[in-house]
Amino acid sequence: MVNVIGLGYIGLPTALMLASHGVDVIGTDYNAGLVDTLNAGKTTFKEKGLDELFSSALKAGIKFTTEYQETDTYIISVPTPYDAFSKKIDAKYVVSAVKSVLDVCRNGAVLVIESTVSPGTIDKFVRPVIKQMGKEIHLIHAPERIIPGNMVYELLHNNRTIGADEAAYGEKIKTLYSSFCQGNIVVTDIRTAEMTKVVENTFRAVNIAFANELAKICRYADMDVYEIVRICNMHPRVNILQPGPGVGGHCISVDPWFLVGDYPGLTKVIGESMKINDSMPDFVLHRIEQIMEKEGIADISRVGLYGLTYKENVDDCRESPTLQLLSSQHRHLAPNLKTYDPYVVNDMVEGQYHDFDQFLHDVDMVVIMVGHDEIKNNFAKLQGKIVLDTRHIFTQNHVYHI
Ligand code: SAJ
């Protein structure tokens, strides 16, 4: 039996995927409310294909509980926040999950850590706990790689990395993941696995920052960044990403800081890239101000932000550019702009709407922060509004861009 610890964005799909491929799985989470929801037959977040996967895992007999199980295989997928000031990882959830597992596991159990950790975290924080508790266990680091919005497909098809102290146990976990994973699975050592994960997300952060910097240059040069990117990308070795209102999510906006926090003197490109991405919400605010002036809109309460999530068609708002923009406004003692997001059903911020038409009725200027399908399919409803589209989903002449 496999005990999956932490049933969030990564742990839940992983547990469901294993169960629906014939593995005996019990999912554990210390959040009793979350466990109750799952036991009531409901998933805890929206994700393409997740409900179908949930049904098939339930049929296969998956169970959810707040208790850690006595078994020989564990997968830990708990959050790894970072300290906003020092930019260093806070491994407290990983460490406490490892301790709880060590309390109950069999001697010789295999412990897989899927949570993203900064290079060296396992040596620094996890091994001392294992040593102190005196149990013989085999450690694996198998960082997740799935992208919110396409998690189920990517769980099945992405290649994976497994870091192990002993190759034999690496192979054992490779066999376990092969029950569902159709990609290649590479077995390496733990420090290498830690580093690859953070480097992958850093690569993307730096490339997004490049696109964002181009957007700023083109704004000041009064040129169309999207046309420039489109033409440049016709070169066989150029592939520029899309500029946008900033970078959110719990991965790309966070992981590269681990390297900056640990190697401050060596991370010039990475550090500057992170600052550029973090500056984008303020750049959007500045753009709003420019457009309001040009269009003669004096009343800030007539401006609304469309989208609160960190990207399109997901309900995840962690570190989202819209929340970053609102917090910048807050710091400057300005009242919140109006907001609306079809995926965010609970009240999250002041001035939030839950009805698209009502939101549109109450604003003269719409700032598209997220390109949800809802707005893509409803351009007609924006008729008569001033539109700032930070995601470049609309190319009509009268639409403003960043
Ligand atoms: N973004 C842009 N321009 C782009 C692409 C993205 O502004 O051209 C923005 C998005 O709007 C979003 C942010 O960047 O705010 C990040 O979105 P994303 O779709 O690039 O990535 P995530 O954070 O959802 O998922 C990433 C993935 N990592 C890589 O692509 C290298 C995923 O595979 C990881 O599993 C995930 O991080 C993670 O959990 O680490």
Side-chain angles (χ1 to χ4, degrees):
M1 186 263 287
V2 177
N3 189 195
V4 177
I5 316 291
L7 299 173
Y9 286 103
I10 302 302
L12 182 64
T14 303
L16 301 178
M17 194 55 96
L18 282 166
S20 62
H21 285 80
V23 179
D24 185 13
V25 179
I26 298 186
T28 297
D29 199 294
Y30 70 4
N31 178 345
L34 184 144
V35 170
D36 286 347
T37 306
L38 294 172
N39 280 330
K42 283 183 245 152
T43 46
T44 39
F45 61 95
K46 288 200 188 82
E47 175 64 41
K48 191 172 51 184
L50 189 69
D51 287 341
E52 293 79 357
L53 187 64
F54 187 56
S55 310
S56 102
L58 284 179
K59 277 193 206 107
I62 191 170
K63 292 193 176 54
F64 306 104
T65 170
T66 52
E67 305 292 320
Y68 288 75
Q69 305 296 305
E70 182 186 340
T71 185
D72 52 14
T73 309
Y74 297 85
I75 296 178
I76 295 183
S77 39
V78 294
T80 41
Y82 76 108
D83 182 272
F85 182 68
S86 70
K87 311 293 188 199
K88 284 186 188 276
I89 194 167
D90 181 352
K92 68 179 175 207
Y93 296 117
V94 174
V95 168
S96 92
V98 169
K99 279 186 182 156
S100 305
V101 164
L102 289 169
D103 277 338
V104 297
C105 73
R106 296 188 190 133
N107 244 341
V110 185
L111 181 51
V112 183
I113 296 177
E114 277 218 16
S115 310
T116 304
V117 291
S118 61
T121 296
I122 292 186
D123 280 350
K124 199 164 160 195
F125 298 104
V126 176
R127 290 194 202 279
V129 175
I130 297 172
K131 204 168 161 199
Q132 187 193 342
M133 294 187 62
K135 259 199 177 150
E136 191 224 324
I137 62 142
H138 305 283
L139 210 51
I140 302 282
H141 179 43
E144 58 84 13
R145 262 182 177 169
I146 52 180
I147 196 146
N150 201 23
M151 286 178 154
V152 175
Y153 177 88
E154 290 209 349
L155 256 180
L156 288 167
H157 296 98
N158 282 2
N159 303 323
R160 295 203 64 137
T161 315
I162 292 183
D165 289 334
E166 305 131 290
Y169 285 94
E171 292 300 325
K172 194 173 165 188
I173 294 305
K174 179 174 173 176
T175 308
L176 175 68
Y177 282 110
S178 300
S179 64
F180 64 85
C181 173
Q182 298 166 27
N184 291 324
I185 303 180
V186 176
V187 178
T188 182
D189 63 87
I190 288 182
R191 287 187 74 220
T192 303
E194 286 177 323
M195 188 58 122
T196 56
K197 168 67 195 197
V198 173
V199 167
E200 287 161 12
N201 280 349
T202 302
F203 174 86
R204 197 154 167 84
V206 169
N207 281 283
I208 296 171
F210 179 69
N212 284 335
E213 189 161 271
L214 288 181
K216 287 183 171 179
I217 294 171
C218 290
R219 173 58 42 217
Y220 288 103
D222 197 18
M223 297 182 88
D224 180 353
V225 67
Y226 300 100
E227 179 66 353
I228 288 162
V229 168
R230 186 180 76 81
I231 296 170
C232 291
N233 282 350
M234 293 168 88
H235 183 290
R237 280 171 297 283
V238 176
N239 183 17
I240 305 170
L241 296 179
Q242 287 299 303
V247 171
H250 197 58
C251 318
I252 292 178
S253 65
V254 175
D255 299 357
W257 284 123
F258 297 161
L259 291 176
V260 178
D262 287 343
Y263 305 97
L266 300 175
T267 42
K268 304 275 188 265
V269 170
I270 302 169
E272 283 306 310
S273 298
M274 296 305 278
K275 284 186 207 155
I276 290 164
N277 290 338
D278 285 354
S279 75
M280 292 313 286
D282 268 343
F283 187 71
V284 174
L285 259 181
H286 182 51
R287 221 30 217 130
I288 295 173
E289 187 197 358
Q290 280 178 337
I291 296 165
M292 283 175 71
E293 205 175 300
K294 186 164 170 217
E295 297 285 347
I297 304 175
D299 183 358
I300 187 85
S301 75
R302 299 297 300 172
V303 179
L305 303 175
Y306 177 91
L308 273 161
T309 64
Y310 84 94
K311 65 177 186 181
E312 67 282 3
N313 304 326
V314 300
D315 62 4
D316 189 341
C317 292
R318 289 178 298 177
E319 331 283 336
S320 86
T322 306
L323 293 180
Q324 292 177 41
L325 188 152
L326 291 175
S327 101
S328 172
Q329 268 202 297
H330 193 70
R331 274 197 305 279
H332 293 92
L333 308 178
N336 260 15
L337 289 166
K338 293 189 164 88
T339 57
Y340 161 76
D341 191 307
Y343 285 85
V344 185
V345 288
N346 298 326
D347 270 332
M348 188 165 202
V349 289
E350 230 174 90
Q352 184 182 343
Y353 283 66
H354 296 283
D355 184 273
F356 190 28
D357 293 330
Q358 189 62 49
F359 167 74
L360 289 178
H361 177 265
D362 288 357
V363 299
D364 299 322
M365 176 170 169
V366 179
V367 182
I368 301 174
M369 296 292 285
V370 188
H372 292 309
D373 285 347
E374 182 199 58
I375 194 138
K376 281 190 182 158
N377 298 331
N378 277 296
F379 184 66
K381 287 195 175 181
L382 298 173
Q383 197 77 36
K385 306 283 176 200
I386 311 293
V387 178
L388 166 59
D389 173 10
T390 70
R391 297 287 183 171
H392 198 240
I393 53 180
F394 300 122
T395 50
Q396 287 79 347
N397 268 341
H398 59 284
V399 172
Y400 289 98
H401 296 108
I402 53 171

